[in-house]
Amino acid sequence: MIKIKDRSEITKMRNAGKLAARVLEFIAPYVKEGQSTGNLNDLCHEFIINNGAVPAPLNYHGYPKSICTSVNNIVCHGIPDKDQILKSGDIVNVDITVILDGYFGDTSSTFMIGNVSESARLLVERTENAMYRGIEAVKPDAYLFEVGRAIEKYISKIGYSIVREYGGHGIGSEFHEDPHVYHFYTTLNKIRLKPGMCFTVEPMINEGRYEVITSKKDGWTVKTKDNSLSAQFEHTVLVTEQGYEILTKL
Ligand code: MF3
Ligand code: CO
Ligand code: CO
């Protein structure tokens, strides 16, 4: 069941989205060579709490930290660790989800550390472009599959692959609501968009093959099966009468 948000809920979604965006803006200058992902977690945790919100990942189905930090061949759900030091050439996705006044805001960016290879830089740039292609397909009465179709059209030309096992999601007073948002074309997303729907667009793009493996050790960390690089960007989006509003931008 897809929930349509009313005016007061939309106000809360805007506030939560804005705060999530502010957390990313706050942490950006620390996402540098020599920093540990564990320290990034602690800084974000503190910032979120100080702003009257709660970090949604913490204890979510047993997840142990307040943010996700996914480095290089890690696709998503990387667990921050004080012993994991960022080094020049790395790419790292920082994924922030906050709960403010009972509503969720979810956003992520992939950062480049020091001097990254040309191929890594292109992967990051094009993954962000892919997310925006998807978002730009959002408007009332369009099918949700237009989002995935736009992403697929852009990415398949380049020869990258789109992770299939994870997608975007409805979001509101719960972290993951209906619908599941596929980042490729499928009639499973033959759903008409209506004003007041909120969902994330968060494509995970691999330089190599699309298959992923979840760590047996920690039960969370998802990596590319072929160990190729993976990048991701995420925004929380509201369907409006005119088209869309990105809730997680400043
Ligand atoms: N923020 C992720 C998403 O975009 C979900 C993280 S779940 C966690 O949906 F438990 F790993 F934090
Ligand atoms: Co999300
Ligand atoms: Co997220």
Side-chain angles (χ1 to χ4, degrees):
M1 207 258 305
I2 301 176
K3 293 191 203 152
I4 303 292
K5 275 72 179 176
D6 67 21
R7 286 179 52 130
S8 86
E9 291 179 292
I10 289 169
T11 298
K12 290 177 186 179
M13 289 298 290
R14 284 198 180 105
N15 292 340
K18 191 78 76 187
L19 178 59
R22 283 180 54 221
V23 180
L24 263 191
E25 177 191 55
F26 157 77
I27 203 62
Y30 298 98
V31 187
K32 292 278 143 70
E33 192 174 353
Q35 268 283 348
S36 76
T37 56
N39 195 42
L40 299 179
N41 175 82
D42 295 352
L43 290 167
C44 288
H45 180 93
E46 168 112 336
F47 186 91
I48 292 165
I49 295 295
N50 287 343
N51 280 279
V54 173
L58 188 60
N59 301 319
Y60 179 74
H61 294 283
Y63 186 79
K65 293 285 179 179
S66 297
I67 66 172
C68 298
T69 49
S70 302
V71 178
N72 295 334
N73 63 329
I74 307 305
V75 173
C76 63
H77 305 166
I79 301 174
D81 180 346
K82 65 177 175 28
D83 296 325
Q84 181 185 42
I85 309 295
L86 296 172
K87 57 182 198 305
S88 183
D90 286 343
I91 63 171
V92 56
N93 176 276
V94 178
D95 193 333
I96 305 290
T97 315
V98 302
I99 315 171
L100 183 63
D101 199 10
Y103 285 78
F104 287 70
D106 191 5
T107 186
S108 81
S109 287
T110 298
F111 297 88
M112 296 179 274
I113 308 300
N115 300 311
V116 304
S117 67
E118 172 81 351
S119 65
R121 188 181 60 75
L122 284 171
L123 175 68
V124 171
E125 272 180 24
R126 290 158 165 175
T127 300
E128 186 169 24
N129 293 343
M131 175 192 66
Y132 282 114
R133 296 284 181 112
I135 292 170
E136 285 159 13
V138 174
K139 55 173 183 245
D141 295 321
Y143 285 116
L144 180 56
F145 64 49
E146 298 296 352
V147 171
R149 182 144 73 184
I151 292 168
E152 185 169 18
K153 182 174 178 220
Y154 177 74
I155 287 299
S156 64
K157 250 183 226 149
I158 300 167
Y160 295 153
S161 50
I162 302 165
V163 171
R164 303 182 76 83
E165 273 193 52
Y166 296 88
H169 49 91
I171 180 166
S173 58
E174 290 174 88
F175 201 154
H176 296 106
E177 298 185 355
D178 286 344
H180 183 81
V181 178
Y182 292 90
H183 296 119
F184 50 89
Y185 172 73
T186 166
T187 53
L188 291 170
N189 268 170
K190 190 167 177 183
I191 295 166
R192 290 255 189 224
L193 298 179
K194 295 290 164 213
M197 289 181 177
C198 288
F199 54 84
T200 70
V201 178
E202 50 176 306
M204 294 158 220
I205 306 298
N206 299 347
E207 209 174 11
R209 295 179 55 87
Y210 70 80
E211 290 92 342
V212 300
I213 297 177
T214 304
S215 162
K216 288 204 185 79
K217 236 190 204 135
D218 65 34
W220 283 102
T221 308
V222 178
K223 72 169 196 76
T224 55
K225 189 174 176 189
D226 64 6
N227 285 315
S228 65
L229 280 185
S230 186
Q232 181 183 24
F233 284 81
E234 173 173 27
H235 273 311
T236 298
V237 172
L238 165 71
V239 184
T240 64
E241 300 287 345
Q242 290 79 25
Y244 64 85
E245 180 180 330
I246 297 176
L247 299 177
T248 42
K249 73 174 212 249
L250 294 165

